[in-house]
Amino acid sequence: MSALPFNEHFENASRCIFGTMNLGGGWNSNPVTKEDESQAHHLLETCIEAGINVIDLADIYTFGKAEEVMGRVFKKNKHFVDHFIIQSKIGIRLVPDVNTKHYDLSPRWVTEAVHASLKRLNIEQLDVLFLHRPDPLMQIEKTAETLNNLYKQEKFEYLAVSNMHAGQTALIQNHVEMPVIANQLEMSLLASDFVEDSITSNMQANTNQGFPRGTLEYCLQQKIQLQAWSALAQGQFGNTEHPDKAVRDTANLLAQLAENLNTNVNALVLAWLMKHPTGIQPVIGSTKPERILEAAKAGKLELSREQWYQILETRRGEAVP
């Protein structure tokens, strides 16, 4: 299962991505410790073993500590910077740094946030800069000018978006000088509205779908790489006693398939997602090395069409329309 490359410079990007949402000691005010640093170092080594060479960060992850701990590891191990594609997100501001949680893609904050991320990471340039959430107060001309200036200053090499629909992505692309190369959205066997949006077209049920209509098709048409956050659905499909019947039934089916195919449930959950022809790159946001190694095996799995639909039907609780 080869991924759609970001572009010719990222042809060797791994299909799976390492997510750092919980690195740095957790979502608290505790300082980063040597143990946190050792954990991050070990996880990067695990990623190399698993064939993963893309790291996903955000300035808000564990209140900046995820970037900080990675920056400490990068400073001591320069080869990691050369080996990995480093992407990070900006645009969300959290309490207690502000009084009210909000999104901020204003020129001032974009500039401050990019420089702050680079400082925490101990690098001079991000491989990919993501705009984390759409900001309804963004003034596109001014924000685009700022992004263009940061790009010319070589603060980032490529631009991407997260949690944006086709129209929002197109608007940004129309105003910036560099291509928008990726869009990261919640997609998984649990958050499967991206499939429901397509199979319930021209049906009343389609009005109940939360996934932004036409976004997958737009990204495929524009050669925008799709990435999936929460791709493993917090491990819920490993619970054969889950309170939700559809999830429980799916967990039991996956356990049986894993035994038959001599694999594991985490790999199957990702293999189901990765079979989609848009070439989705799943983000593995685990701090357990064994789980990363298990999930990375998804790239060697090829579900049949019928197996894929069997899993979908069980997750839906009914056959497709």
Side-chain angles (χ1 to χ4, degrees), residues 133-134 161-169 183-187 191-198 206-219 226-227 229:
R133 289 273 180 181
V161 297
S162 181
N163 303 298
M164 295 197 190
H165 59 58
Q168 292 165 328
T169 307
N183 190 358
Q184 191 175 116
L185 301 148
E186 184 179 16
M187 294 181 286
S192 55
D193 275 2
F194 73 101
V195 174
E196 294 295 320
D197 177 58
S198 63
N206 191 260
T207 61
N208 298 322
Q209 306 310 325
F211 195 82
R213 186 171 301 169
T215 296
L216 292 189
E217 293 79 6
Y218 173 81
C219 289
L226 284 161
Q227 298 181 357
W229 60 267

Side-chain angles (χ1 to χ4, degrees), residues 58-60 64 67 88-93 104-121 126 129-132 146-147 150 155-156:
D59 59 355
I60 62 165
E67 287 186 333
S88 195
K89 312 179 198 72
I90 62 165
I92 300 178
R93 304 187 69 176
D104 192 345
L105 292 179
S106 66
R108 178 178 178 179
W109 183 248
V110 166
T111 301
E112 289 183 13
V114 168
H115 282 93
S117 285
L118 292 173
K119 183 177 181 180
R120 283 190 292 267
L121 288 166
L126 282 168
L129 171 66
F130 276 78
L131 306 181
H132 206 161
T146 299
L147 290 168
L150 289 168
K155 301 303 179 183
F156 66 92

Side-chain angles (χ1 to χ4, degrees), residues 232 254-255 257-259 261-271 290-298 301:
L232 286 170
L254 291 172
L257 283 173
E259 183 177 348
L261 297 173
N262 192 29
T263 187
N264 64 85
V265 169
N266 287 325
L268 277 173
V269 169
L270 295 189
E290 64 276 11
R291 195 175 188 196
I292 294 171
L293 292 170
E294 282 186 356
K297 293 178 181 178
L301 282 175

Side-chain angles (χ1 to χ4, degrees), residues 245-256:
K245 184 179 185 303
V247 175
R248 182 170 67 249
D249 290 346
T250 306
N252 281 291
L253 171 62
L254 291 172
Q256 185 60 56

